[in-house]
Amino acid sequence: MTPAARVQAAIEIVDQVIDAATTGGAAADTLVQRYFATRRYAGSKDRRAVREHVYAAIRLCGPVPPSGRAAMLLLADRDAGVAAAFDGSTHGPAPIGADEPRATPGLAPTWLEAALIESGLPQDALPALVDRAPLDVRINPLRMTEALPEGEPLPHGLHGLRLPSGTRVETLDAYRDGAIEVQDAGSQIVGLALPVAPGDRIIDLCAGAGGKTLALGARMANQGLLLACDTDRARLQQLPPRAERAGVTIVEARLLNPGREREMLADAIGAADGVLVDAPCSGTGTWRRNPEARWRLDPTRLARFVATQAQVLATGAALVRPGGSLVYIVCSLLDAEGAGQVESFLADHPGWRVEPLDLPAGRPQGQGVRLDPARDGTDGFFVARLVAPC
């Protein structure tokens, strides 16, 4: 592909990303893969260059751009190489017209940027939310190996590595042997908020594909019971093979029907030593990995997340034994989903209390701890530990 053809391909993909973001379609990563699945002529350098154009343009735009071309023109104003590709060649984009409109630069839609600032995020911390994320892996103590890849030790004293960007982790012997798992440093840190010991009965209520579940299993030294639940069949189905590769043998996966979670967990009511609630959320803390997610969120969708979080927290609370722990996590930097959610829970659940956290990173936010990319070099998270009345 010529440089002009690469830019034209990026324009077409961003058009698809815009449509998907406004209609609930596939994520940008998926759309990039689908685009090249039908264009076998594109080599690895072409795919890499197009992908970089796509994500550079997405990161620059605040509100949803009117078109992929408008987004790429915004990038062209900052990148002479991209600007030169608007040459009108056979497979390239048409020349830039006089006064042709550009997408609006910024961090996010205006209402959302204001909500982040109102949640106490400093103005100078906002640009880091859409920086490119590093590639972090957790080292699994259950599968010790000499074949660990080369990388920098993770910050904050974590047992993991930061690998070079673009590393194909799935091809590494250490990954195939279960010795490493891809997991952001922030995700590793907030998982430490739940106290566990060998022999405990632990429930991961929103386990997804099981990243935090596997870390809990390793901390429990494969002793006890680890019940991993989710309402998303496709994501939960990824957990058993991951657990087998990681050597975590105490996991029981349980698919829950939405709206019937408590009924389907009747055997676990009041029996868990600890419950982890990594609740569905806006994902404002993960824009480094999914920058187009800024365009998917509106006040109505945010309100639905807040309502779901309250419901999941209440379900989790019913599972905790007297004196046990309930850890609430969201990969969000909005107080409505973090500190505000904990305040509401405490008001509705007399006798519960917050237990202070001693984590290797993050700062106090409300009655919990918040991590953000600018200060901690991690994805953004809020976490709090709640203790059931005895």
Side-chain angles (χ1 to χ4, degrees):
M1 298 174 72
T2 64
R6 290 172 174 175
V7 170
Q8 179 59 35
I11 290 173
E12 294 170 8
I13 293 172
V14 175
D15 274 329
Q16 295 178 18
V17 171
I18 293 168
D19 180 69
T22 53
T23 61
D29 267 351
T30 301
L31 294 173
V32 171
Q33 293 171 7
R34 288 177 183 172
Y35 185 89
F36 286 115
T38 59
R39 293 165 175 82
R40 299 293 185 182
Y41 55 81
S44 60
K45 291 183 179 179
D46 295 323
R47 294 192 296 271
R48 187 179 307 113
V50 171
R51 179 184 174 86
E52 288 178 357
H53 288 333
V54 167
Y55 277 93
I58 292 173
R59 292 179 198 281
L60 279 176
C61 301
V64 181
S67 67
R69 182 177 172 90
M72 207 58 57
L73 286 174
L74 184 63
L75 178 60
D77 290 342
R78 293 157 172 77
D79 187 324
V82 172
F86 285 80
D87 59 6
S89 57
T90 302
H91 299 292
I96 301 173
D99 300 322
E100 189 172 354
R102 272 70 166 161
T104 303
L107 172 79
T110 303
W111 76 270
L112 186 48
E113 189 168 339
L116 288 166
I117 293 172
E118 289 171 6
S119 296
L121 203 65
Q123 185 76 46
D124 60 3
L126 298 183
L129 302 187
V130 291
D131 283 347
R132 189 169 183 172
L135 176 55
D136 297 343
V137 297
R138 177 180 61 83
I139 297 174
N140 177 16
L142 300 178
R143 296 287 202 204
M144 296 306 293
T145 178
E146 301 297 326
L148 290 174
E150 293 186 4
E152 299 178 5
L154 284 183
H156 313 302
L158 298 172
H159 193 47
L161 297 170
R162 182 156 288 171
L163 304 184
S165 178
T167 300
R168 296 179 60 192
V169 178
E170 69 278 2
T171 67
L172 301 176
D173 289 341
Y175 177 81
R176 288 193 292 261
D177 295 342
I180 58 173
E181 288 286 341
V182 177
Q183 189 177 29
D184 175 72
S187 181
Q188 296 181 42
I189 290 168
V190 295
L192 297 174
L194 182 64
V196 297
D200 279 351
R201 181 181 176 89
I202 302 296
I203 300 175
D204 188 348
L205 192 55
C206 306
K212 293 182 178 66
T213 307
L214 299 181
L216 289 170
R219 290 173 59 204
M220 295 167 68
N222 257 345
Q223 299 175 47
L225 176 64
L226 185 48
L227 181 60
C229 310
D230 208 276
T231 58
D232 188 325
R233 181 186 298 273
R235 296 189 68 201
L236 194 61
Q237 283 179 335
Q238 299 175 45
L239 176 53
R242 290 184 70 187
E244 182 177 3
R245 187 178 69 244
V248 178
T249 59
I250 59 172
V251 174
E252 176 191 329
R254 186 178 299 186
L255 182 67
L256 305 178
N257 291 336
R260 296 181 55 204
E261 292 91 347
R262 193 173 301 200
E263 174 187 343
M264 299 180 74
L265 288 165
D267 61 319
I269 298 294
D273 296 295
V275 173
L276 186 73
V277 174
D278 188 2
C281 71
S282 64
T284 52
T286 61
W287 288 348
R288 302 190 305 170
R289 302 173 194 282
N290 307 291
E292 82 279 7
R294 298 126 72 210
W295 304 339
R296 294 176 179 266
L297 192 63
D298 58 35
T300 300
R301 190 160 188 246
L302 176 59
R304 287 200 297 267
F305 279 126
V306 171
T308 298
Q309 290 153 9
Q311 177 186 351
V312 175
L313 257 176
T315 299
L319 305 174
V320 182
R321 65 164 175 78
S325 299
L326 172 65
V327 165
Y328 175 68
I329 299 170
V330 281
C331 49
S332 173
L333 297 165
L334 296 170
D335 275 347
E337 300 181 279
Q341 197 66 260
V342 170
E343 292 291 346
S344 296
F345 174 87
L346 292 171
D348 293 339
H349 294 78
W352 283 77
R353 61 181 175 85
V354 172
E355 192 164 68
L357 292 172
D358 183 17
L359 299 177
R363 298 187 184 187
Q365 183 70 13
Q367 298 198 62
V369 169
R370 185 165 71 186
L371 286 75
D372 76 72
R375 293 187 296 203
D376 302 298
T378 69
D379 284 349
F381 286 95
F382 173 86
V383 58
R385 183 162 71 218
L386 303 151
V387 179
C390 294

